C-alpha cells in the first residue's frame, strides 16, 4: 500500500491508502473522497491534478485531456494514475466539493515547556495514532481547553508514538497562551483538527533556503526532522530571525540537526539594536548571495507579513527569482 496525500485548494489535506494496482481515483472513492471526474477513460481531463511528490505510472489518455507538456510538469489524470510510491497530489478543487472534512483527532496534553518569557512549547498525544498523518510544515486547529474556541499552530515535530509538538508565542492575555502558562496540566483533553495548509516540504531536487521569523520556526523544525531521515545531497541553509533575545529559542535542536543532516547550516539574527547577539538586523541583512544559488533554489519562508514583503522586495532588488517560493504569513498577535 502507498500513502497518498490529497491536498485540496483550500489547504485541507486528506491521506488515503492506494494499492499498487489501484487507480488513485478508485482509492479515493473507496474511502468516500469524490475527486471531480466526468469520465473514467482519460478522455475528459476533469480529474487532472498535479503530483508534487512521488513516483507513479499513467495509463492511456488523449491529448485533449492532458498534453505531453503537462505530463512532463507532473500533471496526472487520477482516473489513469497508479502510485508506485507515497505521493502528494494537489487537487484543484475545494475539500468541501469533494466531500472531505478536516479530521478531528482526540488528544491529551503531555507536557508544557516555558522556553522563554515569550515562547512556549507543548506536546500532545493523539489517542488514535493511526489518525495522525500530515506533511512536514502543515498546521492544525487546536482546541483551547475550557472554551469553544481553537487556535491554529504548525507542527514543530513529526509524530513519535502518537506525540506531536508545537511552538507558540506567549501572548499577554492570549487565550491559548494564557491557558498554557497558567492552568495547563498533563492529561488535559484537546482536539486537533486537520491537517491543513499548502506550506509543506516538497521533494528536494534543488538547494533549499529556509527563512524563519519568530515562532515561524515551528514548521521548519518538522521539516528538518523529516530531512534527517533522508539523504538529499542538497545544501540547506536556514536564517532564523527574531525581534529580541528572549525570542530566540530551540537553538539546541538546530545544532543537533546541523550535526545530523549533511549540508545543513544555519545562522540566527536578532533585530533589537541593543542586543549583544553577533548578528543584528533583519534576515535580509544576513542573506548571502551564495544561498540564493542564482535562483536555482527552493525558498521556504514562514513569518509575519512585513518579513514576507521584505524578502520579496529583496529578491526583486537582487533580480533573483527562485525556482519555487513557498511562504506562510502569520500575525503573531493573532491565532498563529
Amino acid at each position: 500500500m502507498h500513502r497518498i496525500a490529497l491536498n485540496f485548494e483550500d489547504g485541507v489535506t486528506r491521506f488515503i491508502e492506494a494499492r499498487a494496482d489501484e487507480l488513485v481515483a478508485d482509492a479515493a472513492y473507496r474511502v468516500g473522497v469524490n475527486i471531480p471526474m466526468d469520465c473514467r477513460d482519460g478522455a475528459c481531463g476533469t480529474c487532472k491534478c498535479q503530483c508534487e511528490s512521488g513516483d507513479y505510472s499513467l495509463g492511456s489518455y488523449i491529448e485533449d485531456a492532458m498534453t505531453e507538456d503537462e505530463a512532463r510538469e507532473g500533471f496526472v489524470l487520477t482516473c489513469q494514475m497508479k502510485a508506485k510510491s507515497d505521493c502528494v497530489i494537489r487537487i484543484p478543487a475545494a475539500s468541501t466539493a469533494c466531500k472531505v472534512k478536516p479530521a478531528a483527532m482526540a488528544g491529551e496534553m503531555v507536557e508544557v515547556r516555558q522556553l522563554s518569557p515569550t515562547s512556549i512549547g507543548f506536546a500532545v498525544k493523539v489517542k488514535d495514532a493511526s489518525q495522525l498523518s500530515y506533511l512536514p510544515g502543515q498546521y492544525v486547529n487546536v482546541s483551547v481547553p475550557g472554551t469553544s474556541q481553537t487556535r491554529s499552530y504548525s507542527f514543530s515535530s513529526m509524530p513519535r508514538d502518537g506525540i506531536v509538538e508545537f511552538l507558540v508565542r506567549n501572548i499577554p492575555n492570549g487565550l491559548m497562551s494564557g491557558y498554557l502558562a497558567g492552568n495547563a496540566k498533563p492529561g488535559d483533553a484537546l482536539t486537533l483538527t486537520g491537517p491543513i495548509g499548502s506550506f509543506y516540504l516538497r521533494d528536494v531536487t534543488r538547494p533549499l533556503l529556509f527563512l524563519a521569523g519568530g515562532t515561524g520556526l515551528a514548521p521548519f523544525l518538522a521539516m528538518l526532522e523529516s530531512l534527517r531521515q533522508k539523504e538529499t545531497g542538497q545544501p540547506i541553509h536556514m536564517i532564523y530571525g527574531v525581534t529580541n533575545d528572549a525570542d530566540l529559542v530551540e537553538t539546541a535542536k538546530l545544532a543537533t540537526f546541523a550535526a545530523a543532516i549533511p549540508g545543513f547550516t544555519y545562522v540566527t539574527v536578532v533585530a533589537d539594536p541593543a542586543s549583544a547577539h553577533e548578528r543584528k538586523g533583519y534576515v535580509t541583512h544576513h542573506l548571502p548571495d551564495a544561498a540564493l544559488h542564482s535562483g536555482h533554489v527552493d525558498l521556504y519562508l514562514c513569518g509575519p507579513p512585513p518579513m514576507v514583503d521584505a524578502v520579496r522586495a529583496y529578491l526583486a532588488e537582487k533580480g533573483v527569482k527562485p525556482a519555487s517560493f513557498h511562504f506562510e504569513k502569520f500575525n503573531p498577535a493573532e491565532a498563529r
Side-chain angles (χ1 to χ4, degrees):
M1 299 286 280
H2 300 303
R3 190 181 75 152
I4 312 297
L6 303 176
N7 197 31
F8 298 90
E9 66 179 9
D10 53 0
V12 173
T13 298
R14 172 72 182 272
F15 288 84
I16 64 172
E17 300 287 331
R19 299 186 299 270
D21 62 347
E22 186 176 29
L23 295 169
V24 169
D26 289 341
Y29 279 114
R30 178 165 48 80
V31 295
V33 178
N34 295 335
I35 296 175
M37 184 166 58
D38 287 340
C39 76
R40 299 185 62 84
D41 56 9
C44 74
T46 309
C47 67
K48 183 161 54 183
C49 304
Q50 188 168 24
C51 185
E52 296 186 315
S53 174
D55 296 322
Y56 54 88
S57 62
L58 284 174
S60 60
Y61 57 89
I62 66 173
E63 181 81 6
D64 287 346
M66 185 170 71
T67 67
E68 290 303 310
D69 285 344
E70 288 176 320
R72 282 190 289 271
E73 292 171 7
F75 284 90
V76 297
L77 299 177
T78 57
C79 75
Q80 297 296 307
M81 174 189 180
K82 293 181 180 179
K84 297 171 68 176
S85 71
D86 291 351
C87 294
V88 178
I89 302 175
R90 184 158 55 85
I91 310 292
S95 59
T96 51
C98 301
K99 298 185 178 180
V100 172
K101 294 181 180 179
M105 298 170 280
E108 63 178 34
M109 184 68 72
V110 174
E111 178 188 26
V112 178
R113 295 184 297 143
Q114 187 78 45
L115 300 173
S116 79
T118 63
S119 303
I120 299 173
F122 69 98
V124 176
K125 183 175 180 63
V126 173
K127 292 184 178 180
D128 182 358
S130 66
Q131 288 185 291
L132 193 56
S133 293
Y134 55 89
L135 302 171
Q138 290 190 304
Y139 68 93
V140 285
N141 293 324
V142 183
S143 65
V144 183
T147 79
S148 60
Q149 298 191 47
T150 63
R151 293 292 183 266
S152 301
Y153 298 121
S154 299
F155 293 101
S156 63
S157 73
M158 296 305 291
R160 294 185 296 275
D161 300 322
I163 296 176
V164 288
E165 298 178 6
F166 300 91
L167 170 63
V168 305
R169 178 84 173 175
N170 187 3
I171 301 171
N173 302 314
L175 188 64
M176 177 62 93
S177 52
Y179 156 73
L180 292 171
N183 302 321
K185 60 185 183 303
D188 285 353
L190 303 96
T191 300
L192 310 183
T193 304
I196 307 169
S198 57
F199 184 75
Y200 54 82
L201 185 65
R202 274 71 173 177
D203 276 350
V204 181
T205 59
R206 286 178 286 267
L208 299 178
L209 176 59
F210 291 167
L211 304 180
T215 53
L217 175 69
F220 292 113
L221 294 176
M223 291 182 186
L224 289 166
E225 193 170 315
S226 175
L227 287 167
R228 185 168 55 185
Q229 309 304 320
K230 306 173 183 178
E231 287 287 341
T232 70
Q234 298 289 348
I236 308 162
H237 186 60
M238 168 183 277
I239 307 176
Y240 169 29
V242 298
T243 303
N244 301 299
D245 290 332
D247 304 329
L248 199 60
V249 297
E250 301 288 39
T251 53
K253 286 187 177 180
L254 294 179
T256 299
F257 286 131
I261 302 174
F264 172 58
T265 57
Y266 74 96
V267 297
T268 55
V269 180
V270 177
D272 180 9
S275 170
H277 194 74
E278 60 181 314
R279 283 171 296 275
K280 291 190 285 290
Y282 297 110
V283 163
T284 50
H285 298 157
H286 300 274
L287 208 170
D289 288 344
L292 294 173
H293 296 274
S294 300
H296 184 68
V297 65
D298 292 329
L299 197 162
Y300 292 79
L301 189 165
C302 185
M307 179 182 177
V308 176
D309 294 342
V311 170
R312 279 176 159 168
Y314 179 86
L315 294 173
E317 180 182 328
K318 287 283 184 178
V320 173
K321 183 179 180 180
S324 70
F325 184 11
H326 309 283
F327 63 89
E328 184 165 69
K329 295 182 181 181
F330 69 91
N331 187 337
E334 294 178 351
R336 305 198 59 223

